[in-house]
Amino acid sequence: CNVLTNDREVYNILVRKLFKLNHEKIAMINGSVEGPYRDSIERFMGYQEAFIIPGRTLNEKLAKWSNSPRDAYYKMLEILDLPKEEWPTAVICVNDGVAIGVYEAIKERGLKIPEDISVIGHDNDKIAAKMDPPLTSIDPMYDEIAKAIVSCFKRKIWTKKDRIIVKGKLIT
């Protein structure tokens, strides 16, 4: 029994929603692709696929890889060291902790969130509501994931093809 998330779909929908809100340059500070967790790959694929629309261009300078708030701070400074015309109007972060570093870098440069650059996190951690301004975040529905895993263990018979997909949602 496999319990999966729809991260790829959520990130694709998120980027397309940002396009509709007139964000043309969207950065992503994603997590590591090494180790046992492959969520970062699925999230990046959804982000990348949203740019496969006529007239949209993904600027590879706006795609960074980071796992910590401190590293994300430096990655965001790298982005803000680009010429101003290349700056993103929105940044999607692999998790709410990474968003903390992104907030710090943006504010240090005298920019305002969300007026100058919007920031979106992932995890809907309690810290998101306490950030200034409160962080928009994707809620991966961890409680639902846990329930789905428990339901797999309760079943007496299941096959490798059994899949449960838990859908995350955007919290603003």
Side-chain angles (χ1 to χ4, degrees):
C1 182
N2 293 306
V3 178
L4 307 167
T5 63
N6 68 331
D7 282 352
R8 185 174 181 167
E9 177 185 3
V10 168
Y11 277 68
N12 186 295
I13 291 168
L14 173 59
V15 172
R16 287 186 286 127
K17 184 175 183 173
L18 289 169
F19 285 149
K20 287 181 183 173
L21 294 171
N22 296 318
H23 291 278
E24 293 296 321
K25 297 176 188 129
I26 303 166
M28 182 171 190
I29 301 185
N30 203 359
S32 175
V33 294
E34 298 173 5
Y37 304 106
R38 300 287 184 233
D39 296 347
S40 295
I41 294 170
E42 289 296 313
R43 293 172 189 174
F44 186 74
M45 289 174 73
Y47 164 78
Q48 192 174 19
E49 287 170 352
F51 283 89
I52 305 173
I53 299 171
R56 301 289 181 192
T57 305
L58 182 125
N59 181 345
E60 63 187 46
K61 295 176 195 171
L62 299 181
K64 302 287 183 182
W65 302 87
S66 174
N67 280 323
S68 71
R70 197 84 206 130
D71 188 50
Y73 164 81
Y74 290 112
K75 299 294 183 183
M76 191 65 209
L77 288 180
E78 285 177 21
I79 290 171
L80 294 174
D81 284 339
L82 294 170
K84 190 172 182 175
E85 60 272 4
E86 291 185 51
W87 286 1
T89 56
V91 180
I92 302 168
C93 302
V94 69
N95 60 46
D96 295 346
V98 163
I100 291 169
V102 170
Y103 263 51
E104 186 179 337
I106 291 170
K107 290 178 178 184
E108 183 178 287
R109 292 290 174 96
L111 301 169
K112 292 186 172 149
I113 302 166
E115 293 86 349
D116 296 315
I117 301 177
S118 297
V119 180
I120 301 99
H122 187 111
D123 289 333
N124 195 29
D125 195 282
K126 290 177 183 176
I127 191 73
K130 295 177 183 173
M131 293 171 71
D132 182 28
L135 176 67
T136 296
S137 186
I138 296 168
D139 186 343
M141 309 300 289
Y142 289 130
D143 290 346
E144 296 302 316
I145 292 169
K147 287 177 189 174
I149 291 169
V150 168
S151 76
C152 286
F153 287 120
K154 286 182 177 178
R155 291 175 52 193
K156 298 197 188 258
I157 300 173
W158 44 273
T159 68
K160 289 182 182 179
K161 292 183 182 181
D162 286 345
R163 300 176 112 188
I164 299 170
I165 298 180
V166 178
K167 297 186 175 196
K169 63 181 180 180
L170 188 64
I171 307 294
T172 54

